[in-house]
Amino acid sequence: MNTPLNPDEAAALLKWYVEMGVDDAIGIEPQGLYNWNPPTPAAHMPLGDAKAPSAKMASSNPTIAEIAPGADEAIAWATEIAAGCNDFEALKLAVEGFDGCPLKTGARNTVFADGVPGADLLVIGEAPGAEEDRTGKPFVGRAGQLLDRMLAAIGRSRKENVLISNVIYWRPPGNRTPTNTETAICRPFVERLIELTNPKAIMLAGGAPMQALMGITGIMRARGVWRDLTIENGAHFPALPVFHPAFLLRQPKNKRLAWADLQSLEARLNKD
Ligand code: URA
């Protein structure tokens, strides 16, 4: 039997939880994010016929390494659900109903996308933070406000002509870096969003989406260089990695380079 903690021990444990990024009480017992059993597809699949996918269907993308044991099924399940979504709304509902990513357990909201479905510019960032988790919308905190101003500088807004999303749909506890497993589980939905949006250009906001979707590291060198982003079905899209707005808030001297990247984006979007 567990010995009850005295008040000092309890306070020390709470302090440690906070330092480790545990900032939400979601149940009586602590839950290990890495010991989770993905729910069975039949019980949770939100769309169509709930048929258990085979592990063979799991993403074979070489950019995604070190997937936690047991995650194959969740990836296969995400792949099958995403493939069955034929428009933005269906995909949004499917992501909101998907229980295969352990991050969902600790999140207040699913943060899927904001803006105009089918816009010719798709912005993809990393993961929701506290404000995004609270509101259910991507890029609404300080970094998001800067992103809006950057986009406005090239005549773009969420109301009119841009769609904004992330490679992860649930806030990682304490804003820690998402794991390869979490990224791999969300990826089929991200790819389907790209496919359904069919944008003329994709802006990758920061190193994380660039690494997650293209396997490239080193945003300092990679930013401002157009590359083909190829998705699992072979389709490819012009993508431009740029500095993440949160980085620009910390290092405003780099706004000069960010401006050059925005102009390159605008030129590409205005090209026939
Ligand atoms: N940073 C991101 O990458 N995405 C968000 O939605 C918010 C902050």
Side-chain angles (χ1 to χ4, degrees), residues 125-129 132 138-139 166 244:
E126 179 178 9
E132 291 76 20
F139 280 103
N166 283 308
H244 194 285

Side-chain angles (χ1 to χ4, degrees), residues 12-260:
L13 180 61
L14 264 180
K15 183 164 179 280
W16 182 77
Y17 279 158
V18 171
E19 278 163 12
M20 292 297 107
V22 179
D23 51 7
D24 285 307
I26 56 169
I28 303 293
E29 295 293 330
Q31 303 190 19
L33 282 181
Y34 299 99
N35 302 328
W36 105 109
N37 290 316
T40 53
H44 296 265
M45 195 177 267
L47 298 171
D49 300 335
K51 160 165 80 72
S54 78
K56 266 205 311 243
M57 283 181 53
S59 168
S60 58
N61 196 299
T63 63
I64 306 240
E66 295 161 26
I67 305 302
D72 276 8
E73 250 190 76
I75 297 170
W77 178 23
T79 304
E80 181 154 326
I81 294 172
C85 296
N86 292 325
D87 59 30
F88 176 87
E89 269 312 309
L91 189 62
K92 179 173 185 287
L93 285 175
V95 171
E96 287 168 354
F98 181 70
D99 288 338
C101 180
L103 285 174
K104 189 176 188 183
T105 317
R108 285 191 176 85
N109 277 301
T110 299
V111 180
F112 179 58
D114 190 29
V116 179
D120 63 350
L121 173 58
L122 175 62
V123 175
I124 304 181
E126 179 178 9
E131 268 306 287
E132 291 76 20
D133 183 45
R134 202 178 57 74
T135 57
K137 287 194 173 170
F139 280 103
V140 291
R142 275 187 74 218
Q145 290 158 23
L146 176 56
L147 175 67
D148 284 344
R149 293 199 296 279
M150 290 163 68
L151 292 170
I154 56 166
R156 299 271 157 178
S157 78
R158 315 180 184 226
K159 286 218 157 55
E160 284 170 304
N161 47 16
V162 66
L163 184 65
I164 301 177
S165 190
N166 283 308
V167 286
I168 295 284
Y169 300 119
W170 298 276
R171 182 194 181 200
N175 294 342
R176 66 158 169 74
T177 303
T179 64
N180 287 331
T181 300
E182 291 151 0
T183 306
I185 293 172
C186 292
R187 186 186 172 113
F189 296 115
V190 178
E191 293 210 352
R192 190 72 181 130
L193 179 66
I194 294 173
E195 215 183 332
L196 291 171
T197 307
N198 192 22
K200 206 165 170 186
I202 298 175
M203 172 175 156
L204 297 170
M210 179 180 82
Q211 182 167 8
L213 295 172
M214 303 178 90
I216 299 167
T217 54
I219 188 70
M220 298 309 285
R221 264 179 300 115
R223 60 136 281 279
V225 180
W226 284 96
R227 291 188 166 80
D228 264 356
L229 191 165
T230 306
I231 60 174
E232 200 77 2
N233 71 0
H236 45 95
F237 302 84
L240 184 68
V242 303
F243 287 138
H244 194 285
F247 171 74
L248 294 173
L249 287 172
R250 290 194 302 275
Q251 302 218 8
K253 71 172 192 298
N254 288 303
K255 283 186 181 170
R256 191 176 48 82
L257 295 171
W259 176 234

